[in-house]
Amino acid sequence: MAGYESVIGLEVHVQLATSSKLFCSCPTSFGQKPNANVCEVCSGMPGALPLPNFQAVHFAALVGMATNCSVRSRSVFARKNYFYPDLPAGYQISQFELPLCEHGYLDIMGDKGKKRIGITRIHMENDAGKSIHAQHENLSYVDLNRAGTPLVEVVSEPDMRSPAEAVAYLKTLYGIVTYLEVCDGNMEEGSFRCDANVSLRPVGSETLGVRAEIKNLNSFRNVQRAIEYEIGRQQDMLDDGKRLVQETRLYDAVKNSTAPMRSKEEAHDYRYFPDPDILPVEILTEDLEKWRKELPELPQERARRFREMTGLPEAEAEVLVQSRGLADFFEAAAQKADPRKVANFVLGPLLRECHARGLAASDPTQWGMKPAGLAELVHLVDKGLISAKIANDIFGELLLSGDMPETYVTAKGLVQISDSAALAATVDDILAANPAEVEAYRGGKTKLMSFFVGQVMRATKGKANPALVNELLESKLSGS
Ligand code: ADP
Ligand code: MG
Ligand code: ZN
């Protein structure tokens, strides 16, 4: 990359989780029979009158407030004209000159520490339907169930300088819209997807280079890889002395490459004009104030608070807040037991077992374990009733079954042996069985301590209280 700097700006489409569409009352439910959720408005019949969904405006305004934008009390829907088979009206209803939100920013962890990424605007628009090409050799089908679903498009400034910064920005935005509960966050179903604009320019240059726009990336991994590939491709072109053209490209995850789709259209190609069928959206000041008060604690503030509670480093606190479900679970358990110890169980065994057992780490309703169960497990280890190792070993079972830890370890006979008389007998047996090691230890090979501890642990199947074992061994080996 010597000589060039990469410049990235993202356009993110966030599907709003309203129950009905943006301009009609058809349901937004996913996975229905094709064209089941369709009426004259969302199928673009001439003369049908669209009526904005106030819930969608509310959700969109929350996204704006949470991303430090100013939210307009008066915004205007505009027609964006283009032809595509899955766009039955021949235009998309979007916002152009007066979008709902503008001039925001997000703070992210950039390549060189904290970094502020500008948000140019957030506008509302309706989604298109879907063309289906795979079902027939030479016919295409159109499914309009998605047509009219409310979206916000969050447009960033070209402030990112690497694929990692683009992903960090996206994850921050994703955290916000899912915490707000205005988006279901299902990236596979396209509820959160992004177009990545990528260009290169000579290091030190202030002017922007020619950009390619990579359409519809629907996973963080694809965003990372598509941008990496695109930077490499543009670099090669420039190194070969070729000229780049402004164009729209598609990313192929299987081939891990991008290919041209069409030359990039300019805004004037769309012939935007205010939609004469829809009145400007007016929001009362009192509604805006009410909505602002509704904003929940967002991931970054929550991570800061969790760091104070636990003393954990930033990266780990961020894992705890990566979903609202996981953060709520942690916080409920941390009210009943030492927060740092609870966090260690969440970051270690809990995430590991979710992964191993195919449970969503973001959705505690899928697990048997409740916050009280995790807190009790922490107490069992604290009280020396079970060892940390056993707690770790049984975690998966407890997570799945939801059994309360104390009942479980008692029933399974896993309670630690903290009875010194019983342990003393075992220690005596071990010393008697290993006279050579005892002599070597007394002769100065004190490293053998771990050998003796290991033997006692083995004899007790890991149930001996380690502190007590060490104490007993030390006194017996130093004595006669
Ligand atoms: P359009 O909506 O036609 O794609 P915009 O001018 O609104 O065009 O830009 C869309 C996105 O592209 C924004 O996120 C912006 O930051 C980004 N962008 C614009 N120019 C460049 C460039 N030269 N390199 C990288 N990103 C760019
Ligand atoms: Mg664009
Ligand atoms: Zn409809």
Side-chain angles (χ1 to χ4, degrees):
M1 274 302 290
Y4 292 107
E5 168 181 67
S6 45
V7 174
I8 301 154
L10 299 179
E11 295 161 276
V12 183
H13 284 103
V14 181
Q15 199 180 95
L16 299 176
T18 55
S19 50
S20 59
K21 293 186 181 180
L22 184 51
F23 297 113
C24 61
S25 56
C26 292
T28 50
S29 46
F30 187 84
Q32 240 57 17
K33 258 181 54 201
N35 299 305
N37 297 345
V38 174
C39 72
E40 56 276 34
V41 172
C42 56
S43 62
M45 296 295 161
L49 283 177
L51 194 68
N53 175 342
F54 198 58
Q55 169 113 75
V57 177
H58 175 188
F59 283 1
L62 290 177
V63 177
M65 291 171 181
T67 53
N68 310 295
C69 287
S70 54
V71 180
R72 257 178 223 288
S73 55
R74 182 174 183 278
S75 64
V76 169
F77 281 106
R79 292 188 183 176
K80 179 181 184 182
N81 298 283
Y82 64 97
F83 173 77
Y84 208 73
D86 61 18
L87 186 73
Y91 56 86
Q92 180 183 28
I93 305 175
S94 183
Q95 297 186 308
F96 187 58
E97 278 170 343
L98 295 173
L100 185 66
C101 319
E102 273 177 317
H103 312 310
Y105 64 84
L106 287 181
D107 288 328
I108 65 158
M109 219 27 183
D111 298 336
K112 299 178 195 138
K114 278 242 150 50
K115 179 166 178 180
R116 183 158 288 188
I117 307 296
I119 291 177
T120 318
R121 54 188 274 142
I122 301 179
H123 56 257
M124 303 183 66
E125 59 190 24
N126 56 4
D127 208 347
K130 271 183 188 162
S131 301
I132 300 160
H133 306 293
Q135 255 172 39
H136 196 283
E137 234 177 301
N138 41 25
L139 290 178
S140 285
Y141 295 89
V142 174
D143 176 5
L144 295 179
N145 284 346
R146 201 182 62 182
T149 301
L151 304 175
V152 285
E153 179 173 341
V154 182
V155 182
S156 85
E157 291 291 308
D159 285 348
M160 289 149 277
R161 295 289 173 269
S162 69
E165 285 190 351
V167 171
Y169 165 83
L170 265 188
K171 286 191 170 167
T172 304
L173 182 59
Y174 181 87
I176 288 172
V177 299
T178 52
Y179 266 59
L180 290 173
E181 293 178 336
V182 300
C183 173
D184 69 16
N186 193 327
M187 294 180 76
E188 269 167 42
E189 290 174 5
S191 300
F192 185 93
R193 55 192 198 262
C194 108
D195 303 340
N197 294 271
V198 181
S199 65
L200 295 185
R201 67 180 172 195
V203 171
S205 162
E206 292 288 319
T207 43
L208 292 170
V210 176
R211 70 172 150 138
E213 178 181 19
I214 313 162
K215 281 295 203 193
N216 275 334
L217 299 163
N218 69 346
S219 73
F220 297 121
R221 182 179 146 82
N222 283 354
V223 169
Q224 169 94 26
R225 300 210 315 158
I227 297 175
E228 275 167 7
Y229 174 86
E230 185 58 24
I231 291 171
R233 185 189 71 85
Q234 292 184 13
Q235 170 83 27
D236 290 346
M237 296 271 291
L238 294 172
D239 285 348
D240 292 349
K242 294 188 185 132
R243 286 179 66 115
L244 290 163
V245 288
Q246 182 170 322
E247 64 185 354
T248 301
R249 300 179 69 88
L250 271 187
Y251 176 68
D252 182 330
V254 179
K255 291 192 201 144
N256 186 31
S257 65
T258 63
M261 182 170 140
R262 55 174 188 251
S263 70
K264 170 78 192 158
E265 53 293 287
E266 301 287 341
H268 61 252
D269 294 333
Y270 289 123
R271 302 289 189 271
Y272 280 100
F273 63 89
D275 193 311
D277 287 341
I278 307 173
L279 288 171
V281 179
E282 308 256 4
I283 310 174
L284 299 175
T285 316
E286 59 206 69
D287 278 330
L288 285 173
E289 278 165 11
K290 198 172 79 196
W291 296 346
R292 200 172 284 284
K293 291 204 193 95
E294 269 172 28
L295 290 175
E297 184 183 36
L298 293 168
Q300 285 175 342
E301 299 160 41
R302 206 168 193 192
R304 209 170 303 131
R305 197 162 54 76
F306 284 1
R307 285 180 68 186
E308 279 162 21
M309 277 166 67
T310 60
L312 282 171
E314 187 159 345
E316 295 186 350
E318 266 167 24
V319 176
L320 287 179
V321 302
Q322 68 190 349
S323 69
R324 192 165 166 180
L326 188 70
D328 287 346
F329 186 91
F330 160 75
E331 187 153 19
Q335 273 159 10
K336 298 193 172 80
D338 181 78
R340 175 62 177 249
K341 291 175 182 164
V342 172
N344 288 341
F345 271 110
V346 171
L347 294 167
L350 191 143
L351 291 180
R352 178 194 73 216
E353 293 298 328
C354 279
H355 185 72
R357 292 162 195 264
L359 302 168
S362 59
D363 184 8
T365 63
Q366 292 187 8
W367 325 333
M369 183 182 274
K370 298 284 165 280
L374 177 53
E376 187 174 293
L377 190 62
V378 170
H379 288 308
L380 293 188
V381 178
D382 269 355
K383 286 190 292 192
L385 219 58
I386 57 171
S387 65
K389 180 181 181 308
I390 286 189
N392 185 55
D393 290 347
I394 63 175
F395 200 93
E397 270 300 307
L398 297 176
L399 182 70
L400 207 60
S401 68
D403 290 344
M404 284 307 277
E406 184 152 12
T407 319
Y408 181 90
V409 297
T410 311
K412 297 261 176 183
L414 295 170
V415 175
Q416 213 162 242
I417 306 167
S418 296
D419 166 354
S420 59
L423 267 188
T426 312
V427 168
D428 285 339
D429 290 347
I430 298 293
L431 297 185
N434 299 283
E437 283 78 5
V438 172
E439 210 180 307
Y441 181 91
R442 287 184 173 143
K445 267 189 93 177
T446 52
K447 275 191 191 153
L448 281 167
M449 182 53 98
S450 56
F451 162 78
F452 293 118
V453 173
Q455 293 294 308
V456 177
M457 284 300 176
R458 204 152 119 200
T460 57
K461 300 197 172 68
K463 288 191 286 180
N465 179 329
L468 194 53
V469 172
N470 271 291
E471 209 174 283
L472 285 168
L473 278 167
E474 259 160 33
S475 88
K476 287 186 192 275
L477 283 164
S478 63
S480 50

PDB file of all heavy atoms in Angstrom, residues 11 153 195 197 211 213 215 264, ligand 2:
ATOM      1  N   GLU A  11     -22.932   3.254   3.450  1.00  0.00           N
ATOM      2  CA  GLU A  11     -24.372   3.513   3.446  1.00  0.00           C
ATOM      3  C   GLU A  11     -25.020   2.265   4.018  1.00  0.00           C
ATOM      4  O   GLU A  11     -24.938   1.196   3.415  1.00  0.00           O
ATOM      5  CB  GLU A  11     -24.861   3.747   2.017  1.00  0.00           C
ATOM      6  CG  GLU A  11     -24.281   5.010   1.384  1.00  0.00           C
ATOM      7  CD  GLU A  11     -24.411   4.973  -0.128  1.00  0.00           C
ATOM      8  OE1 GLU A  11     -23.540   4.365  -0.793  1.00  0.00           O
ATOM      9  OE2 GLU A  11     -25.373   5.532  -0.657  1.00  0.00           O
ATOM     10  N   GLU A 153     -31.742   4.712   5.897  1.00  0.00           N
ATOM     11  CA  GLU A 153     -30.414   4.602   5.321  1.00  0.00           C
ATOM     12  C   GLU A 153     -29.513   5.570   6.084  1.00  0.00           C
ATOM     13  O   GLU A 153     -29.766   6.773   6.133  1.00  0.00           O
ATOM     14  CB  GLU A 153     -30.424   4.946   3.838  1.00  0.00           C
ATOM     15  CG  GLU A 153     -29.017   4.862   3.242  1.00  0.00           C
ATOM     16  CD  GLU A 153     -28.972   5.016   1.727  1.00  0.00           C
ATOM     17  OE1 GLU A 153     -30.016   4.845   1.068  1.00  0.00           O
ATOM     18  OE2 GLU A 153     -27.884   5.305   1.217  1.00  0.00           O
ATOM     19  N   ASP A 195     -23.780  -0.844   1.899  1.00  0.00           N
ATOM     20  CA  ASP A 195     -23.029  -0.605   0.668  1.00  0.00           C
ATOM     21  C   ASP A 195     -21.744   0.083   1.084  1.00  0.00           C
ATOM     22  O   ASP A 195     -21.780   1.065   1.831  1.00  0.00           O
ATOM     23  CB  ASP A 195     -23.785   0.348  -0.270  1.00  0.00           C
ATOM     24  CG  ASP A 195     -25.192  -0.159  -0.627  1.00  0.00           C
ATOM     25  OD1 ASP A 195     -25.440  -1.368  -0.485  1.00  0.00           O
ATOM     26  OD2 ASP A 195     -26.009   0.675  -1.046  1.00  0.00           O
ATOM     27  N   ASN A 197     -18.459   2.176   0.018  1.00  0.00           N
ATOM     28  CA  ASN A 197     -17.818   3.005  -1.017  1.00  0.00           C
ATOM     29  C   ASN A 197     -16.332   3.053  -0.716  1.00  0.00           C
ATOM     30  O   ASN A 197     -15.935   3.400   0.396  1.00  0.00           O
ATOM     31  CB  ASN A 197     -18.389   4.416  -0.980  1.00  0.00           C
ATOM     32  CG  ASN A 197     -19.855   4.428  -1.370  1.00  0.00           C
ATOM     33  OD1 ASN A 197     -20.195   4.554  -2.527  1.00  0.00           O
ATOM     34  ND2 ASN A 197     -20.731   4.247  -0.389  1.00  0.00           N
ATOM     35  N   ARG A 211     -14.383   6.397  -6.743  1.00  0.00           N
ATOM     36  CA  ARG A 211     -14.855   5.341  -5.850  1.00  0.00           C
ATOM     37  C   ARG A 211     -15.611   4.247  -6.569  1.00  0.00           C
ATOM     38  O   ARG A 211     -16.242   4.468  -7.603  1.00  0.00           O
ATOM     39  CB  ARG A 211     -15.757   5.931  -4.779  1.00  0.00           C
ATOM     40  CG  ARG A 211     -17.075   6.393  -5.350  1.00  0.00           C
ATOM     41  CD  ARG A 211     -18.040   6.800  -4.250  1.00  0.00           C
ATOM     42  NE  ARG A 211     -18.924   7.832  -4.757  1.00  0.00           N
ATOM     43  CZ  ARG A 211     -20.229   7.878  -4.506  1.00  0.00           C
ATOM     44  NH1 ARG A 211     -20.795   6.967  -3.754  1.00  0.00           N
ATOM     45  NH2 ARG A 211     -20.975   8.833  -5.019  1.00  0.00           N
ATOM     46  N   GLU A 213     -18.633   1.454  -5.507  1.00  0.00           N
ATOM     47  CA  GLU A 213     -19.620   1.200  -4.467  1.00  0.00           C
ATOM     48  C   GLU A 213     -19.965  -0.277  -4.501  1.00  0.00           C
ATOM     49  O   GLU A 213     -20.462  -0.775  -5.515  1.00  0.00           O
ATOM     50  CB  GLU A 213     -20.860   2.065  -4.726  1.00  0.00           C
ATOM     51  CG  GLU A 213     -21.966   1.836  -3.726  1.00  0.00           C
ATOM     52  CD  GLU A 213     -23.208   2.687  -3.997  1.00  0.00           C
ATOM     53  OE1 GLU A 213     -23.361   3.177  -5.135  1.00  0.00           O
ATOM     54  OE2 GLU A 213     -24.013   2.849  -3.077  1.00  0.00           O
ATOM     55  N   LYS A 215     -22.216  -3.243  -3.372  1.00  0.00           N
ATOM     56  CA  LYS A 215     -23.606  -3.298  -2.933  1.00  0.00           C
ATOM     57  C   LYS A 215     -23.907  -4.420  -1.949  1.00  0.00           C
ATOM     58  O   LYS A 215     -23.351  -5.519  -2.044  1.00  0.00           O
ATOM     59  CB  LYS A 215     -24.496  -3.554  -4.161  1.00  0.00           C
ATOM     60  CG  LYS A 215     -24.749  -2.301  -4.983  1.00  0.00           C
ATOM     61  CD  LYS A 215     -25.526  -1.351  -4.151  1.00  0.00           C
ATOM     62  CE  LYS A 215     -26.328  -0.324  -4.881  1.00  0.00           C
ATOM     63  NZ  LYS A 215     -26.788   0.733  -3.970  1.00  0.00           N
ATOM     64  N   LYS A 264     -21.917   3.821 -12.195  1.00  0.00           N
ATOM     65  CA  LYS A 264     -22.611   4.488 -11.093  1.00  0.00           C
ATOM     66  C   LYS A 264     -23.459   5.647 -11.596  1.00  0.00           C
ATOM     67  O   LYS A 264     -22.996   6.517 -12.319  1.00  0.00           O
ATOM     68  CB  LYS A 264     -21.547   4.965 -10.120  1.00  0.00           C
ATOM     69  CG  LYS A 264     -22.010   5.870  -9.031  1.00  0.00           C
ATOM     70  CD  LYS A 264     -22.687   5.093  -7.935  1.00  0.00           C
ATOM     71  CE  LYS A 264     -23.412   6.051  -7.004  1.00  0.00           C
ATOM     72  NZ  LYS A 264     -24.460   5.417  -6.253  1.00  0.00           N
TER      73      LYS A 264
HETATM   74 MG    MG B   2     -25.048   4.869  -2.710  1.00  0.00          MG
END
